[in-house]
Amino acid sequence: MPLDTSTRSAQDYSDWIGRMETRDDEIGLTLARRAAVLSDLDPQAFGRGVALPPHWYSMFFTPNAPAARIGHDGHPMKGDFLPPIALPRRMFVGREVTFLQPLRIGAEAIKTSRITAITPKTGRSGPLMFVQVTHTISADGQDAIVEKQNVVYRQAASAGTAAAAADAGADAGLPSAAWREQRLIDPVLLFRYSALTWNSHRIHYDADYARDKEGYRGCVMNGALTLHLLIDAALRRMEGRPLRRLEARLSSPLFLGDTMTLEGAAPARDGATGQDTVQAWVLDPQGRVSAQVTLGFGPGEGAAHGAR
């Protein structure tokens, strides 16, 4: 009999807080070069020993669940590392990242993940359960990246209800845009990123499943790809400045066939940290904010794309 998650609390999953897992991976040359062409960069500018663009770390350490441990939605089944929350829909909603030193192509790296919070909430679409996982990536015995990643679990949706769950206040308080780009979400772009990141979540390629089982109007843009393209665009305008921190939030989905608008503000000095900060965001075809990032930059020369 299915669990009644509407009456469950974080206390029901308290024994999952603190659970850890460790994965190792090589910061591989092939994957880095494929990521480069995804962003229209010269793949030959990337070789062994070259610093990986900082936000590209998220394409590594993908879960390699065996076929028998893949759920009906294409995700690895819950209950191994992530808690067995019965709410069926799972979405990445944001991250906070600190960059301590660059990862270099060819390096052997280790990612240690720890569940740090499980928080129940109620939204317009019904019960929600937020899970925060803290990831620490190290190479050559030194920590390189610390990320706090947030995932939300939601109840099943009927057709048309998923879009209604968008965060209506996400566009409040945005600064004026200093630059703007537009990007079509086409099937090749979405497929190549899913293949690159070994992401088999069916909402990204199975339109019937996305509509009939999860209530979307079609195939859903990968939120991590939205952030990847947005951060790429912001970093092109801050060439030579090392990225030190990143805060990202996803508030509403984009869909295959949409033209998204990427915008960003001029740099501003953060009085608390002394860093230059840049805000950037993505608008959906109706002009609503779908994703936002705040980037913090340190002084001096940084590792630009392809820099040794």
Side-chain angles (χ1 to χ4, degrees):
M1 181 176 179
L3 295 174
D4 179 7
T5 54
S6 64
T7 61
R8 299 200 73 186
S9 68
Q11 186 63 35
D12 295 302
Y13 302 105
S14 60
D15 56 338
W16 288 80
I17 297 175
R19 183 168 295 216
M20 298 178 66
E21 72 169 10
T22 300
R23 296 181 191 151
D24 63 335
D25 201 355
E26 179 182 4
I27 307 305
L29 177 60
T30 297
L31 192 151
R33 285 180 170 170
R34 287 176 178 171
V37 297
L38 190 76
S39 298
D40 290 322
L41 299 173
D42 178 7
Q44 297 308 311
F46 295 83
R48 295 189 182 277
V50 169
L52 191 75
H55 60 299
W56 290 15
Y57 75 92
S58 62
M59 294 184 290
F60 296 87
F61 305 99
T62 54
N64 294 318
R69 293 296 301 162
I70 295 295
H72 74 284
D73 59 356
H75 269 310
M77 290 181 181
K78 296 170 286 187
D80 291 334
F81 172 62
L82 290 171
I85 295 169
L87 293 167
R89 299 168 63 214
R90 181 182 353 172
M91 294 189 70
F92 161 63
V93 292
R95 57 168 63 114
E96 299 177 16
V97 189
T98 301
F99 299 97
L100 304 173
Q101 62 179 5
L103 292 172
R104 295 191 177 274
I105 297 172
E108 297 289 337
I110 296 174
K111 179 180 180 180
T112 301
S113 304
R114 180 174 178 268
I115 298 175
T116 47
I118 299 176
T119 307
K121 295 185 178 181
T122 301
R124 285 172 293 174
S125 61
L128 307 170
M129 192 72 75
F130 287 84
V131 177
Q132 183 182 83
V133 182
T134 298
H135 306 286
T136 301
I137 299 173
S138 60
D140 299 322
Q142 295 186 318
D143 291 348
I145 296 168
V146 178
E147 175 195 58
K148 292 182 179 180
Q149 185 182 82
N150 296 303
V151 177
V152 65
Y153 294 86
R154 300 164 61 184
Q155 66 183 5
S158 58
T161 62
D167 185 346
D171 59 351
L174 289 178
S176 299
W179 54 267
R180 179 177 293 109
E181 298 181 8
Q182 289 191 316
R183 186 73 180 257
L184 173 68
I185 302 172
D186 67 78
V188 175
L189 172 69
L190 189 52
F191 167 80
R192 292 179 95 183
Y193 186 80
S194 292
L196 194 65
T197 57
W198 198 235
N199 187 323
S200 55
H201 193 182
R202 289 172 65 183
I203 64 172
H204 303 310
Y205 59 88
D206 186 339
D208 290 339
Y209 171 85
R211 284 191 298 263
D212 299 341
K213 299 299 184 182
E214 299 216 16
Y216 295 107
R217 60 178 170 86
C219 289
V220 182
M221 173 63 159
N222 189 306
L225 175 56
T226 299
L227 294 177
H228 182 95
L229 297 173
L230 179 61
I231 297 166
D232 270 353
L235 292 184
R236 284 196 296 272
R237 293 162 172 86
M238 295 292 287
E239 193 71 29
R241 301 295 303 276
L243 184 63
R244 300 301 189 200
R245 63 181 178 86
L246 180 163
E247 295 181 13
R249 176 188 178 195
L250 295 168
S251 52
S252 62
L254 295 161
F255 296 92
L256 186 65
D258 285 350
T259 295
M260 59 181 180
T261 301
L262 288 63
E263 296 183 344
R269 179 58 56 92
D270 186 328
T273 64
Q275 295 179 338
D276 284 338
T277 64
V278 170
Q279 292 188 57
W281 54 92
V282 176
L283 303 177
D284 69 12
Q286 290 73 45
R288 298 172 301 204
V289 174
S290 177
Q292 296 175 258
V293 298
T294 300
L295 309 177
F297 295 87
E301 292 297 319
H305 294 318
R308 290 186 181 274

